[in-house]
Amino acid sequence: MTQKIDMHAHFFPPITREEAAALDPVDAPWLRPEGDGATGQIMAGDRPFRPVDATLWDPALRIRQMDRHGVDVQILCATPIMFGYTYPARAAADWAARMNDLALEHCAHAPSRLKALAQVPLQDLDLACSEASRARAAGHLGVQIGNHVGARDLDDETLVQFLIHCANSDIPVLVHPWDMMTDGRMKKWMLPWLVAMPAETQLGILSLILSGAFERIPRSLKLCFAHGGGSFAFLLGRVDNAWRHRDIIRQDCPQLPSSYTDRFYTDSAVFDPRSLRLLIDVMGEDRVLLGSDYPYPLGEQEVGRLVTHAGLLPEVQQKILCRNIVEFFGLDPRVA
């Protein structure tokens, strides 16, 4: 049976309000348990942010659910509200280090089956590079970053330099959309998650391609975009067409945009077999990795089912479910 590694899952540790106050006493995230401790609420200061359950902070429950889904290894990362990019850099660095240590404590429950990606204070280049390297040495497989820091997208020179550091230091990077663009028009039906989140991911990818950043970032960088790359695969033809016919698109991008798909990966969280087949056709079967967005309701509810029910050849399924992830993170092939 093909091994199954889920490389996009989330956790949120049982942070008390007192611990969160070290970052910010007004808006920092913390966990408010409810009832018998099986459920809770992620809080942002006094404001409820998201109802959650114990799968986010209970590693034993996480392992039981992995067994139910046939997942051999899960690679977990912060829930994006934990990033702390809006806070003073030094406070955010201390917070990131604390959250990263808690992630490793979570994984210590079953170290052969639970792995972690670190968070970093991305608003400060030196502190971000330092924490990325410290976390990698401590046992994290890589880092997860948001797709922007305020108005700075991934083509910002500081963020490009961070990616160059990760390339030179053998630190794989998962880019996760967060803090979605909205001017108030997407005010209900979860439209920021359904419309703006895929757009944020496409924006991150195109920022690197069209700015020429990939011409300066070493090819050794292992870079993956969550949520199937957002709307990138479906709209890539539009981008190529623009590059051919508008010189302002070619200004900083010397090659056809579609030629850069060998510079990054995506996860498989697209939820429809037709979308997955398109994604594989655009990215190539070696550049799609199983990712579920576990354990959130907008994630894949039966982890890996899409890959195994999309009419893919068995060898392609094996690549997406396991082999590509082993290669991406440089894992021991026997890890699962």
Side-chain angles (χ1 to χ4, degrees):
M1 180 179 295
T2 298
Q3 296 171 335
K4 193 186 296 183
I5 303 175
D6 181 1
M7 62 79 60
H8 175 191
H10 292 287
F11 92 114
F12 191 97
I15 311 163
T16 66
R17 183 155 197 184
E18 291 70 28
E19 288 177 287
L23 176 63
D24 178 70
V26 178
D27 290 317
W30 57 284
L31 181 70
R32 186 184 70 193
E34 296 177 349
D36 58 1
T39 60
Q41 184 81 229
I42 295 176
M43 303 290 292
D46 291 328
R47 296 176 291 106
F49 173 75
R50 178 179 295 169
V52 291
D53 64 54
T55 50
L56 274 173
W57 63 85
D58 183 343
L61 179 57
R62 186 181 292 265
I63 290 293
R64 290 198 295 272
Q65 291 204 357
M66 287 168 59
D67 289 342
R68 192 152 54 246
H69 290 288
V71 174
D72 298 280
V73 177
Q74 187 184 84
I75 301 171
L76 57 92
C77 55
T79 298
I81 193 176
M82 297 163 62
F83 285 159
Y85 295 162
T86 60
Y87 298 109
R90 184 67 260 175
D94 293 341
W95 170 262
R98 174 63 176 150
M99 296 305 104
N100 292 338
D101 291 346
L102 289 174
L104 291 181
E105 289 179 17
H106 189 95
C107 294
H109 176 82
S112 66
R113 301 192 63 191
L114 298 176
K115 310 292 181 181
L117 301 178
Q119 66 183 79
V120 297
L122 200 57
Q123 61 267 59
D124 183 283
L125 175 60
D126 291 339
L127 292 175
C129 292
S130 176
E131 180 56 24
S133 295
R134 185 199 75 87
R136 183 76 158 116
H140 288 263
L141 295 184
V143 298
Q144 175 197 213
I145 64 172
N147 67 298
H148 66 103
V149 177
R152 294 187 287 150
D153 291 307
L154 291 181
D155 61 310
D156 176 82
E157 183 59 25
T158 298
L159 303 187
V160 171
Q161 288 301 317
F162 176 76
L163 294 177
I164 291 173
H165 170 80
C166 291
N168 292 335
S169 304
D170 188 27
I171 302 175
V173 179
L174 171 65
V175 180
H176 196 288
W178 84 296
D179 191 27
M180 286 81 75
M181 61 182 89
T182 176
D183 61 2
R185 290 162 57 223
M186 293 181 282
K187 54 188 176 295
K188 58 180 180 177
W189 311 303
M190 293 197 76
L191 284 176
W193 280 261
L194 303 180
V195 176
M197 184 171 275
E200 290 283 0
T201 304
Q202 183 188 20
L203 175 58
I205 296 171
L206 291 182
S207 293
L208 290 174
I209 292 174
L210 299 181
S211 70
F214 276 133
E215 306 303 319
R216 299 190 293 118
I217 297 171
R219 295 189 70 89
S220 58
L221 178 65
K222 294 293 182 64
L223 179 66
C224 180
F225 287 87
H227 302 161
S231 45
F232 173 78
F234 184 76
L235 295 176
L236 182 55
R238 179 180 179 86
V239 182
D240 277 357
N241 181 66
W243 185 90
R244 291 187 179 100
H245 298 291
R246 294 299 305 272
D247 57 358
I248 59 173
I249 307 295
R250 297 189 297 273
Q251 177 177 309
D252 300 305
C253 179
Q255 306 295 329
L256 192 68
S258 58
S259 70
Y260 291 90
T261 55
D262 66 347
R263 299 300 308 275
F264 60 94
Y265 299 69
T266 75
D267 74 12
S268 63
V270 294
F271 310 104
D272 182 276
R274 296 164 299 180
S275 298
L276 180 61
R277 290 192 292 268
L278 171 64
L279 182 63
I280 294 169
D281 189 51
V282 169
M283 295 300 302
E285 62 191 41
D286 296 326
R287 292 193 167 263
V288 179
L289 317 175
L290 174 64
S292 70
D293 206 13
Y294 170 96
Y296 289 117
L298 292 186
E300 187 175 16
Q301 299 305 300
E302 296 182 51
V303 179
R305 178 178 172 81
L306 175 63
V307 175
T308 59
H309 288 72
L312 307 176
L313 293 173
E315 55 266 34
V316 177
Q317 293 183 35
Q318 186 181 51
K319 286 183 176 183
I320 296 172
L321 293 174
C322 181
R323 282 170 49 194
N324 293 346
I325 301 169
V326 167
E327 170 68 21
F328 183 85
F329 288 108
L331 299 174
D332 185 330
R334 299 167 297 177
V335 68

